[in-house]
Structures are given as structure tokens and as C-alpha cells.
Amino acid sequence: MHRLRAQGRYGPRFRDVLPSFAVLAVLLCAAVAGLVVGFRAVGAVVPIAGALLAVVAVAVGVRRQRPAARRRRGRYTPQELHELDVQGLALAVARMLRRDHWKVRLLPAPDRPRLCARHQDGRRLDVAFRPVAEPLPDEALPHPRTHREDPESFIHLVVHRGAFRARDIRWARREGRTVLLDGPALERWAGGAPLDRLLAGEQ
């Protein structure tokens, strides 16, 4: 049994799950006590309403945990990220941006999709997807900055599921306002971490 636990093939010990069981027992007892008090005060309406609310809550919880519903809310597991093609990754990042309150426009392309996003605070984001950060000769930003825009409000984000090379990091530093989002950071973002926290850590 000890070997199985060391290999991660055996479940947790009872003392590991005891706090969760204790909290669940307290909540269950409190719910039953509330139903009894409500039944004595009002009648059968309270238990029936409580049971209906419990059924609805369970149904909503199960529905929200379904993979498709979770992905529509902009949450992906690392395995799901690695199974996406470039177009699927662009869609996933668009959903994650919307989850973080960005308005997103997807610019589809067969091999190099891009995203343009705008935050309510005025920030603008250009998102590119490729393993190499440095832009190709024929590639231009989809929304050139105008003289009226604050250059500090514009961020060029390059998303890569792997690791960036040293030359990519040097290029991003030369460019300024360019953030490289590698695989581990992308997984944290897909798991629910806010983009602003990741951007603050990179800049």
C-alpha cells in the first residue's frame, strides 16, 4: 500500500479527507436543521422548496463541470491545450480573454491566426500564435497604432505552448511592450489565473 501511494496509484489516507468530510457533515446537518425549523414554522412548503433548490443546484453544478461548458467559459486543462491545433488554440485564447473582460476579434488565417482585443480601460492587445516570436518579413500588425493612441496602452502578446528561445526573448526586449507567454504561463491562464497577473509578472 505504501508503494502504491508513493507511485500515486492509491487514494489519500483517511486523515487527508477527514476535514472535508467534517465540513460536509456540518453543512448537511445545518441544512436538515433548517428544513425541520422551516417545516415547523411554515409547513411542508419549506422542505419541498429546499429539495427543489438542491436539485437545481446539483443540475447546474454538473452542467457547469462538463468539459464543453467549461471550455466555453475559457477554462482548459493542460491536456486539452496540447490537443488543439493553431486555430483551436486561437479560439481558446479568445475565450480566455473574454473571461478576463476583453472584447476580442479573431482574424482567422490558415496557418497564422491573430487576435485583436480591447479592454474597457483602454488597453489594446495584439495576439500572435507561433513558435518563433520574431515576426516574419511579410507580417504586419493588424491594427497599426495611430498618433492619437497612447503607445503604453498597446501590448503585443506572443503565445506559444512550448518554451521560447533566447533570441525570442532578446527580440521581445528590443521591441518593448511585447510579452512572450510560454507553455507554463498559458496553462496557468487556462486554469483560471487572470491575464493581468501574468502580464505583470512578465513586464
Side-chain angles (χ1 to χ4, degrees):
M1 187 180 296
H2 293 292
R3 281 201 303 269
L4 291 174
R5 283 201 178 103
Q7 296 169 4
R9 296 165 57 193
Y10 197 81
R13 296 178 177 88
F14 180 71
R15 66 170 177 255
D16 297 328
V17 297
L18 182 59
S20 299
F21 277 129
V23 171
L24 183 61
V26 169
L27 292 176
L28 186 59
C29 291
V32 171
L35 290 176
V36 170
V37 171
F39 177 75
R40 290 180 178 174
V42 180
V45 175
V46 172
I48 293 173
L52 290 175
L53 285 175
V55 169
V56 170
V58 169
V60 170
V62 169
R63 185 179 180 85
R64 287 179 63 85
Q65 291 304 315
R66 288 179 180 172
R70 174 174 44 76
R71 289 193 293 266
R72 281 195 297 272
R73 298 196 311 274
R75 293 181 181 270
Y76 289 76
T77 65
Q79 182 64 29
E80 289 170 341
L81 287 177
H82 286 290
E83 292 174 353
L84 297 173
D85 59 10
V86 179
Q87 296 289 343
L89 181 61
L91 176 60
V93 170
R95 289 172 170 173
M96 290 149 61
L97 283 168
R98 292 187 183 105
R99 183 196 75 201
D100 289 346
H101 311 295
W102 291 77
K103 292 183 179 179
V104 185
R105 186 162 68 94
L106 175 62
L107 306 176
D111 54 347
R112 289 183 304 185
R114 298 185 80 106
L115 294 174
C116 295
R118 183 183 294 273
H119 199 270
Q120 58 187 5
D121 61 9
R123 286 178 296 164
R124 292 180 56 188
L125 198 63
D126 166 52
V127 187
F129 303 88
R130 56 180 173 268
V132 179
E134 194 166 353
L136 299 175
D138 62 341
E139 188 172 24
L141 294 177
H143 286 299
R145 287 168 283 183
T146 65
H147 295 294
R148 293 176 296 176
E149 292 177 332
D150 180 9
E152 292 299 312
S153 68
F154 185 87
I155 302 171
H156 184 205
L157 180 67
V158 182
V159 175
H160 180 27
R161 281 176 287 195
F164 288 101
R165 293 182 290 179
R167 78 172 185 88
D168 301 323
I169 297 172
R170 290 194 299 269
W171 169 79
R173 288 175 180 166
R174 286 197 311 268
E175 289 293 304
R177 305 301 294 169
T178 298
V179 179
L180 306 181
L181 199 70
D182 61 7
L186 179 63
E187 290 178 4
R188 291 198 302 273
W189 187 21
L195 178 62
D196 286 345
R197 186 190 306 168
L198 299 174
L199 294 179
E202 292 291 335
Q203 292 179 333

Short mmCIF file of all heavy atoms in Angstrom, two decimals, residues 58-101:
data_model
loop_
_atom_site.label_atom_id
_atom_site.label_comp_id
_atom_site.label_asym_id
_atom_site.label_seq_id
_atom_site.Cartn_x
_atom_site.Cartn_y
_atom_site.Cartn_z
N VAL A 58 -27.62 21.07 -7.94
CA VAL A 58 -26.83 19.93 -8.40
C VAL A 58 -26.80 19.88 -9.93
O VAL A 58 -25.75 19.65 -10.55
CB VAL A 58 -27.39 18.62 -7.82
CG1 VAL A 58 -26.75 17.41 -8.50
CG2 VAL A 58 -27.14 18.56 -6.32
N ALA A 59 -27.96 20.11 -10.56
CA ALA A 59 -28.02 20.08 -12.02
C ALA A 59 -27.14 21.16 -12.63
O ALA A 59 -26.41 20.91 -13.60
CB ALA A 59 -29.47 20.24 -12.48
N VAL A 60 -27.19 22.37 -12.07
CA VAL A 60 -26.36 23.47 -12.58
C VAL A 60 -24.88 23.15 -12.39
O VAL A 60 -24.05 23.39 -13.27
CB VAL A 60 -26.74 24.80 -11.90
CG1 VAL A 60 -25.73 25.89 -12.24
CG2 VAL A 60 -28.14 25.22 -12.33
N GLY A 61 -24.53 22.61 -11.21
CA GLY A 61 -23.14 22.27 -10.94
C GLY A 61 -22.60 21.22 -11.89
O GLY A 61 -21.49 21.35 -12.41
N VAL A 62 -23.41 20.19 -12.15
CA VAL A 62 -22.98 19.14 -13.08
C VAL A 62 -22.83 19.71 -14.48
O VAL A 62 -21.86 19.41 -15.20
CB VAL A 62 -24.00 17.98 -13.07
CG1 VAL A 62 -23.72 17.01 -14.21
CG2 VAL A 62 -23.95 17.26 -11.73
N ARG A 63 -23.77 20.57 -14.88
CA ARG A 63 -23.71 21.14 -16.23
C ARG A 63 -22.49 22.03 -16.40
O ARG A 63 -21.82 22.00 -17.44
CB ARG A 63 -24.99 21.94 -16.50
CG ARG A 63 -25.07 22.48 -17.91
CD ARG A 63 -26.38 23.23 -18.12
NE ARG A 63 -26.48 23.76 -19.47
CZ ARG A 63 -26.92 23.09 -20.51
NH1 ARG A 63 -27.29 21.83 -20.37
NH2 ARG A 63 -26.98 23.64 -21.71
N ARG A 64 -22.16 22.81 -15.37
CA ARG A 64 -21.01 23.71 -15.46
C ARG A 64 -19.70 22.96 -15.47
O ARG A 64 -18.70 23.48 -15.95
CB ARG A 64 -21.03 24.71 -14.31
CG ARG A 64 -22.10 25.78 -14.44
CD ARG A 64 -22.08 26.71 -13.25
NE ARG A 64 -20.83 27.45 -13.14
CZ ARG A 64 -20.56 28.59 -13.78
NH1 ARG A 64 -21.47 29.10 -14.58
NH2 ARG A 64 -19.42 29.19 -13.62
N GLN A 65 -19.68 21.75 -14.94
CA GLN A 65 -18.46 20.98 -14.91
C GLN A 65 -18.24 20.15 -16.18
O GLN A 65 -17.18 19.54 -16.33
CB GLN A 65 -18.45 20.05 -13.69
CG GLN A 65 -18.33 20.79 -12.38
CD GLN A 65 -17.10 21.68 -12.31
OE1 GLN A 65 -16.01 21.27 -12.70
NE2 GLN A 65 -17.29 22.90 -11.84
N ARG A 66 -19.19 20.13 -17.06
CA ARG A 66 -18.99 19.41 -18.31
C ARG A 66 -17.87 20.06 -19.10
O ARG A 66 -17.76 21.29 -19.14
CB ARG A 66 -20.29 19.41 -19.14
CG ARG A 66 -21.37 18.52 -18.56
CD ARG A 66 -22.62 18.58 -19.40
NE ARG A 66 -23.68 17.73 -18.86
CZ ARG A 66 -24.92 17.70 -19.32
NH1 ARG A 66 -25.26 18.49 -20.33
NH2 ARG A 66 -25.81 16.90 -18.78
N PRO A 67 -17.03 19.26 -19.77
CA PRO A 67 -15.88 19.84 -20.48
C PRO A 67 -16.26 20.92 -21.49
O PRO A 67 -15.59 21.96 -21.56
CB PRO A 67 -15.26 18.62 -21.16
CG PRO A 67 -15.64 17.47 -20.29
CD PRO A 67 -17.01 17.80 -19.78
N ALA A 68 -17.31 20.69 -22.27
CA ALA A 68 -17.68 21.68 -23.29
C ALA A 68 -18.09 23.00 -22.63
O ALA A 68 -17.69 24.08 -23.08
CB ALA A 68 -18.81 21.15 -24.16
N ALA A 69 -18.90 22.93 -21.56
CA ALA A 69 -19.34 24.15 -20.87
C ALA A 69 -18.15 24.85 -20.22
O ALA A 69 -18.05 26.08 -20.25
CB ALA A 69 -20.39 23.80 -19.83
N ARG A 70 -17.25 24.07 -19.65
CA ARG A 70 -16.06 24.66 -19.02
C ARG A 70 -15.19 25.36 -20.05
O ARG A 70 -14.69 26.47 -19.81
CB ARG A 70 -15.27 23.56 -18.30
CG ARG A 70 -13.95 24.01 -17.73
CD ARG A 70 -13.29 22.93 -16.92
NE ARG A 70 -13.32 21.63 -17.54
CZ ARG A 70 -12.54 21.25 -18.55
NH1 ARG A 70 -11.68 22.10 -19.06
NH2 ARG A 70 -12.62 20.02 -19.04
N ARG A 71 -15.01 24.75 -21.21
CA ARG A 71 -14.18 25.38 -22.24
C ARG A 71 -14.84 26.64 -22.78
O ARG A 71 -14.15 27.61 -23.10
CB ARG A 71 -13.92 24.37 -23.37
CG ARG A 71 -12.97 23.26 -22.97
CD ARG A 71 -12.51 22.48 -24.18
NE ARG A 71 -13.59 21.73 -24.79
CZ ARG A 71 -13.88 20.46 -24.52
NH1 ARG A 71 -13.16 19.80 -23.63
NH2 ARG A 71 -14.87 19.84 -25.14
N ARG A 72 -16.18 26.64 -22.91
CA ARG A 72 -16.85 27.86 -23.37
C ARG A 72 -16.64 29.01 -22.40
O ARG A 72 -16.68 30.17 -22.80
CB ARG A 72 -18.35 27.59 -23.57
CG ARG A 72 -18.68 26.87 -24.87
CD ARG A 72 -20.16 26.96 -25.18
NE ARG A 72 -20.97 26.30 -24.18
CZ ARG A 72 -21.31 25.01 -24.20
NH1 ARG A 72 -20.89 24.24 -25.19
NH2 ARG A 72 -22.07 24.49 -23.26
N ARG A 73 -16.43 28.70 -21.12
CA ARG A 73 -16.15 29.75 -20.13
C ARG A 73 -14.68 30.13 -20.09
O ARG A 73 -14.27 30.92 -19.25
CB ARG A 73 -16.59 29.29 -18.74
CG ARG A 73 -18.08 29.01 -18.62
CD ARG A 73 -18.51 28.94 -17.16
NE ARG A 73 -17.65 28.09 -16.36
CZ ARG A 73 -17.78 26.77 -16.22
NH1 ARG A 73 -18.75 26.14 -16.88
NH2 ARG A 73 -16.96 26.09 -15.46
N GLY A 74 -13.87 29.56 -20.99
CA GLY A 74 -12.47 29.93 -21.07
C GLY A 74 -11.57 29.21 -20.09
O GLY A 74 -10.54 29.76 -19.69
N ARG A 75 -11.90 27.97 -19.74
CA ARG A 75 -11.05 27.18 -18.84
C ARG A 75 -10.71 25.86 -19.52
O ARG A 75 -11.60 25.12 -19.92
CB ARG A 75 -11.75 26.94 -17.50
CG ARG A 75 -11.92 28.21 -16.69
CD ARG A 75 -12.59 27.94 -15.36
NE ARG A 75 -12.78 29.16 -14.61
CZ ARG A 75 -11.90 29.66 -13.75
NH1 ARG A 75 -10.75 29.02 -13.54
NH2 ARG A 75 -12.14 30.77 -13.10
N TYR A 76 -9.41 25.60 -19.62
CA TYR A 76 -8.91 24.42 -20.30
C TYR A 76 -7.91 23.70 -19.42
O TYR A 76 -7.17 24.34 -18.66
CB TYR A 76 -8.22 24.80 -21.61
CG TYR A 76 -9.15 25.28 -22.70
CD1 TYR A 76 -9.68 26.56 -22.66
CD2 TYR A 76 -9.47 24.47 -23.77
CE1 TYR A 76 -10.53 27.02 -23.66
CE2 TYR A 76 -10.32 24.91 -24.78
CZ TYR A 76 -10.84 26.18 -24.71
OH TYR A 76 -11.68 26.62 -25.70
N THR A 77 -7.87 22.38 -19.54
CA THR A 77 -6.85 21.60 -18.86
C THR A 77 -5.58 21.62 -19.71
O THR A 77 -5.63 21.87 -20.93
CB THR A 77 -7.30 20.15 -18.66
OG1 THR A 77 -7.45 19.52 -19.95
CG2 THR A 77 -8.63 20.10 -17.91
N PRO A 78 -4.41 21.35 -19.12
CA PRO A 78 -3.18 21.28 -19.93
C PRO A 78 -3.29 20.28 -21.07
O PRO A 78 -2.81 20.54 -22.18
CB PRO A 78 -2.12 20.87 -18.90
CG PRO A 78 -2.63 21.41 -17.60
CD PRO A 78 -4.12 21.26 -17.67
N GLN A 79 -3.92 19.13 -20.82
CA GLN A 79 -4.07 18.12 -21.87
C GLN A 79 -4.91 18.66 -23.02
O GLN A 79 -4.58 18.44 -24.20
CB GLN A 79 -4.71 16.85 -21.29
CG GLN A 79 -4.88 15.72 -22.30
CD GLN A 79 -3.56 15.20 -22.81
OE1 GLN A 79 -2.55 15.24 -22.10
NE2 GLN A 79 -3.56 14.73 -24.05
N GLU A 80 -5.98 19.38 -22.70
CA GLU A 80 -6.82 19.94 -23.76
C GLU A 80 -6.06 20.98 -24.58
O GLU A 80 -6.22 21.05 -25.80
CB GLU A 80 -8.07 20.57 -23.14
CG GLU A 80 -9.06 19.55 -22.60
CD GLU A 80 -10.17 20.17 -21.77
OE1 GLU A 80 -10.00 21.32 -21.30
OE2 GLU A 80 -11.20 19.51 -21.59
N LEU A 81 -5.22 21.77 -23.94
CA LEU A 81 -4.42 22.75 -24.68
C LEU A 81 -3.48 22.08 -25.67
O LEU A 81 -3.33 22.53 -26.81
CB LEU A 81 -3.62 23.61 -23.70
CG LEU A 81 -4.38 24.66 -22.89
CD1 LEU A 81 -3.44 25.36 -21.94
CD2 LEU A 81 -5.06 25.68 -23.80
N HIS A 82 -2.84 21.01 -25.23
CA HIS A 82 -1.87 20.33 -26.10
C HIS A 82 -2.53 19.62 -27.26
O HIS A 82 -1.88 19.35 -28.27
CB HIS A 82 -1.03 19.36 -25.27
CG HIS A 82 -0.03 20.04 -24.40
ND1 HIS A 82 1.09 20.69 -24.89
CD2 HIS A 82 0.02 20.21 -23.06
CE1 HIS A 82 1.79 21.20 -23.90
NE2 HIS A 82 1.15 20.94 -22.77
N GLU A 83 -3.81 19.30 -27.15
CA GLU A 83 -4.51 18.61 -28.23
C GLU A 83 -5.05 19.56 -29.30
O GLU A 83 -5.51 19.11 -30.35
CB GLU A 83 -5.67 17.78 -27.66
CG GLU A 83 -5.20 16.59 -26.82
CD GLU A 83 -6.35 15.88 -26.14
OE1 GLU A 83 -7.50 16.39 -26.21
OE2 GLU A 83 -6.11 14.83 -25.52
N LEU A 84 -4.99 20.88 -29.07
CA LEU A 84 -5.54 21.85 -30.01
C LEU A 84 -4.59 22.11 -31.16
O LEU A 84 -3.37 22.12 -30.98
CB LEU A 84 -5.84 23.17 -29.28
CG LEU A 84 -6.88 23.12 -28.17
CD1 LEU A 84 -6.92 24.46 -27.44
CD2 LEU A 84 -8.26 22.80 -28.74
N ASP A 85 -5.16 22.35 -32.34
CA ASP A 85 -4.34 22.88 -33.43
C ASP A 85 -4.25 24.39 -33.28
O ASP A 85 -4.73 24.96 -32.29
CB ASP A 85 -4.92 22.48 -34.79
CG ASP A 85 -6.35 22.99 -34.99
OD1 ASP A 85 -6.82 23.81 -34.16
OD2 ASP A 85 -7.00 22.57 -35.97
N VAL A 86 -3.61 25.07 -34.23
CA VAL A 86 -3.39 26.50 -34.09
C VAL A 86 -4.71 27.26 -34.06
O VAL A 86 -4.90 28.18 -33.26
CB VAL A 86 -2.48 27.03 -35.23
CG1 VAL A 86 -2.28 28.53 -35.10
CG2 VAL A 86 -1.14 26.33 -35.20
N GLN A 87 -5.66 26.88 -34.93
CA GLN A 87 -6.95 27.54 -34.94
C GLN A 87 -7.69 27.31 -33.62
O GLN A 87 -8.33 28.21 -33.08
CB GLN A 87 -7.79 27.03 -36.11
CG GLN A 87 -7.22 27.36 -37.48
CD GLN A 87 -7.32 28.83 -37.82
OE1 GLN A 87 -8.07 29.57 -37.21
NE2 GLN A 87 -6.55 29.25 -38.81
N GLY A 88 -7.62 26.08 -33.11
CA GLY A 88 -8.27 25.78 -31.84
C GLY A 88 -7.64 26.54 -30.69
O GLY A 88 -8.33 26.99 -29.77
N LEU A 89 -6.31 26.71 -30.73
CA LEU A 89 -5.63 27.47 -29.68
C LEU A 89 -6.05 28.94 -29.74
O LEU A 89 -6.25 29.57 -28.70
CB LEU A 89 -4.12 27.34 -29.85
CG LEU A 89 -3.27 28.08 -28.83
CD1 LEU A 89 -3.55 27.57 -27.42
CD2 LEU A 89 -1.79 27.95 -29.17
N ALA A 90 -6.20 29.47 -30.95
CA ALA A 90 -6.65 30.87 -31.08
C ALA A 90 -8.05 31.04 -30.50
O ALA A 90 -8.33 32.02 -29.80
CB ALA A 90 -6.63 31.30 -32.55
N LEU A 91 -8.94 30.08 -30.75
CA LEU A 91 -10.29 30.14 -30.18
C LEU A 91 -10.24 30.05 -28.66
O LEU A 91 -10.96 30.77 -27.96
CB LEU A 91 -11.15 29.02 -30.76
CG LEU A 91 -12.56 28.90 -30.19
CD1 LEU A 91 -13.37 30.17 -30.43
CD2 LEU A 91 -13.28 27.69 -30.79
N ALA A 92 -9.38 29.17 -28.14
CA ALA A 92 -9.26 29.03 -26.69
C ALA A 92 -8.77 30.32 -26.06
O ALA A 92 -9.30 30.77 -25.03
CB ALA A 92 -8.30 27.88 -26.36
N VAL A 93 -7.77 30.95 -26.66
CA VAL A 93 -7.25 32.21 -26.12
C VAL A 93 -8.31 33.31 -26.21
O VAL A 93 -8.43 34.14 -25.31
CB VAL A 93 -5.96 32.61 -26.84
CG1 VAL A 93 -5.53 34.02 -26.48
CG2 VAL A 93 -4.84 31.62 -26.50
N ALA A 94 -9.11 33.32 -27.28
CA ALA A 94 -10.19 34.30 -27.39
C ALA A 94 -11.18 34.12 -26.25
O ALA A 94 -11.64 35.10 -25.65
CB ALA A 94 -10.88 34.16 -28.74
N ARG A 95 -11.53 32.88 -25.93
CA ARG A 95 -12.46 32.63 -24.82
C ARG A 95 -11.83 33.05 -23.49
O ARG A 95 -12.52 33.60 -22.62
CB ARG A 95 -12.82 31.15 -24.78
CG ARG A 95 -13.73 30.73 -25.93
CD ARG A 95 -13.90 29.22 -25.95
NE ARG A 95 -14.94 28.80 -26.89
CZ ARG A 95 -15.19 27.54 -27.19
NH1 ARG A 95 -14.47 26.57 -26.62
NH2 ARG A 95 -16.15 27.24 -28.04
N MET A 96 -10.55 32.80 -23.31
CA MET A 96 -9.88 33.18 -22.07
C MET A 96 -9.82 34.70 -21.92
O MET A 96 -9.96 35.24 -20.82
CB MET A 96 -8.49 32.56 -22.03
CG MET A 96 -8.54 31.03 -21.85
SD MET A 96 -7.19 30.10 -22.63
CE MET A 96 -5.77 30.76 -21.80
N LEU A 97 -9.63 35.40 -23.04
CA LEU A 97 -9.64 36.86 -22.99
C LEU A 97 -11.02 37.38 -22.63
O LEU A 97 -11.15 38.31 -21.82
CB LEU A 97 -9.20 37.43 -24.35
CG LEU A 97 -7.70 37.40 -24.64
CD1 LEU A 97 -7.44 37.70 -26.11
CD2 LEU A 97 -6.97 38.40 -23.75
N ARG A 98 -12.06 36.80 -23.22
CA ARG A 98 -13.43 37.23 -22.88
C ARG A 98 -13.72 36.95 -21.41
O ARG A 98 -14.42 37.72 -20.76
CB ARG A 98 -14.44 36.54 -23.79
CG ARG A 98 -14.35 36.98 -25.24
CD ARG A 98 -15.47 36.41 -26.10
NE ARG A 98 -15.31 36.79 -27.49
CZ ARG A 98 -14.89 35.97 -28.44
NH1 ARG A 98 -14.60 34.70 -28.17
NH2 ARG A 98 -14.76 36.39 -29.69
N ARG A 99 -13.21 35.84 -20.91
CA ARG A 99 -13.38 35.53 -19.48
C ARG A 99 -12.76 36.63 -18.61
O ARG A 99 -13.27 36.94 -17.54
CB ARG A 99 -12.69 34.19 -19.18
CG ARG A 99 -12.83 33.69 -17.77
CD ARG A 99 -11.81 32.60 -17.50
NE ARG A 99 -10.48 33.15 -17.33
CZ ARG A 99 -9.35 32.46 -17.49
NH1 ARG A 99 -9.39 31.19 -17.85
NH2 ARG A 99 -8.20 33.05 -17.30
N ASP A 100 -11.68 37.24 -19.10
CA ASP A 100 -11.00 38.31 -18.37
C ASP A 100 -11.48 39.69 -18.78
O ASP A 100 -10.78 40.68 -18.58
CB ASP A 100 -9.48 38.20 -18.57
CG ASP A 100 -8.89 37.00 -17.85
OD1 ASP A 100 -9.58 36.42 -16.99
OD2 ASP A 100 -7.74 36.63 -18.14
N HIS A 101 -12.66 39.76 -19.43
CA HIS A 101 -13.35 41.02 -19.73
C HIS A 101 -12.66 41.82 -20.84
O HIS A 101 -12.62 43.05 -20.80
CB HIS A 101 -13.48 41.88 -18.47
CG HIS A 101 -14.02 41.14 -17.29
ND1 HIS A 101 -15.30 40.63 -17.25
CD2 HIS A 101 -13.44 40.80 -16.10
CE1 HIS A 101 -15.49 40.01 -16.10
NE2 HIS A 101 -14.39 40.08 -15.39
#
